[in-house]
């Protein structure tokens, strides 16, 4: 009744809202989760840890490494050592975790939950902050569950976690606004997240996530870069396809194994 877009695709019989599926990589990892984690890290640096910037970052990176070890996370899956550029925040800009791969951000959520627990006090702000990461951890665990669709229990758990996360995050945004602080900003991806539970009734979010296609795009970009040297522009595509064909042959014959094969 109310098409989400005026694009001609909406005139195809049977096409409606449920034909469009949100991607957890861009909505959550590179969206909502990035904003939540960026704010948490920024507040720990500014409000909780003593010392100058260099000392604070060293302390925070040490804490993060200790939590990774406690959670038995392989070092290959750790986020790189944090700098203030990763939080992308100043006194007049909003924090947001930048320059990170989406899957690394997703893997950081349990670490962020531990940090939120450690730096939680009796005040309203840090209590809401802790609830944000409890809910974020829960909804990610739901998304990672196997299958084309959620069970009724998982669907209810996921829906509750999304609602709670948005409610507590919204409260943090209001508290920060009252204090005239540039923190806990709300962007359109938070609205997209609100639609996730309704869509997940019919198809699990993992079915439409784009980790594989983004990884493939990175592989093709690396191949293209390897084809540029000494080649005129019209010859790059042909050389690229030769390299891709050779790589596919080696992989299909079992002569080369990549991370995507596991």
């Amino acid at each position: 009744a109310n098409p989400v877009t005026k694009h001609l695709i909406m005139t195809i019989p049977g096409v409606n809202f449920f034909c469009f599926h949100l991607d957890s990589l861009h909505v959550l990892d590179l969206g909502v989760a990035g904003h939540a984690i960026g704010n948490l890290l920024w507040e720990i640096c500014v409000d909780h840890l003593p010392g100058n910037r260099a000392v604070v970052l060293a302390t925070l990176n040490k804490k993060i490494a200790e939590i990774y070890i406690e959670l038995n996370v392989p070092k290959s899956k750790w986020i790189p050592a944090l700098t203030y550029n990763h939080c992308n925040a100043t006194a007049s800009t909003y924090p947001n975790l930048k320059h990170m791969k989406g899957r690394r951000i997703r893997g950081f959520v349990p670490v962020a939950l531990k940090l939120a627990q450690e730096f939680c006090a009796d005040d309203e702000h840090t209590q809401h902050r802790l609830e944000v990461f409890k809910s974020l951890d829960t909804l990610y665990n739901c998304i990672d569950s196997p299958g084309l669709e959620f069970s009724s229990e998982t669907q209810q758990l996921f829906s509750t976690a999304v609602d709670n996360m948005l409610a507590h995050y919204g409260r943090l945004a209001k508290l920060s606004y009252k204090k005239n602080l540039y923190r806990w900003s709300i962007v359109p991806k938070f609205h997209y997240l609100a639609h996730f539970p309704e869509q997940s009734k019919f198809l699990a979010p993992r079915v439409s996530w784009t980790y594989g296609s983004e990884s493939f795009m990175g592989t093709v970009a690396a191949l293209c870069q390897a084809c540029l040297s000494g080649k005129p522009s019209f010859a790059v595509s042909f050389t690229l396809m030769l390299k891709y064909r050779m790589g596919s042959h080696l992989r299909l014959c079992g002569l080369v194994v990549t991370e995507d094969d596991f």
Side-chain angles (χ1 to χ4, degrees), residues 122-133:
D122 292 331
D123 61 289
E124 183 183 4
H125 186 93
T126 58
Q127 291 286 340
H128 283 298
R129 191 173 67 190
L130 176 58
E131 292 302 321
V132 163
F133 286 96

Side-chain angles (χ1 to χ4, degrees), residues 201-219:
K201 290 180 180 178
F202 308 99
L203 198 65
R206 69 177 296 128
V207 179
S208 58
W209 70 25
T210 59
Y211 292 116
S213 53
E214 289 286 340
S215 177
F216 176 75
M217 185 176 70
T219 300

Side-chain angles (χ1 to χ4, degrees), residues 5 19 36 89 139 220:
T5 172
C19 297
L139 69 88
V220 172

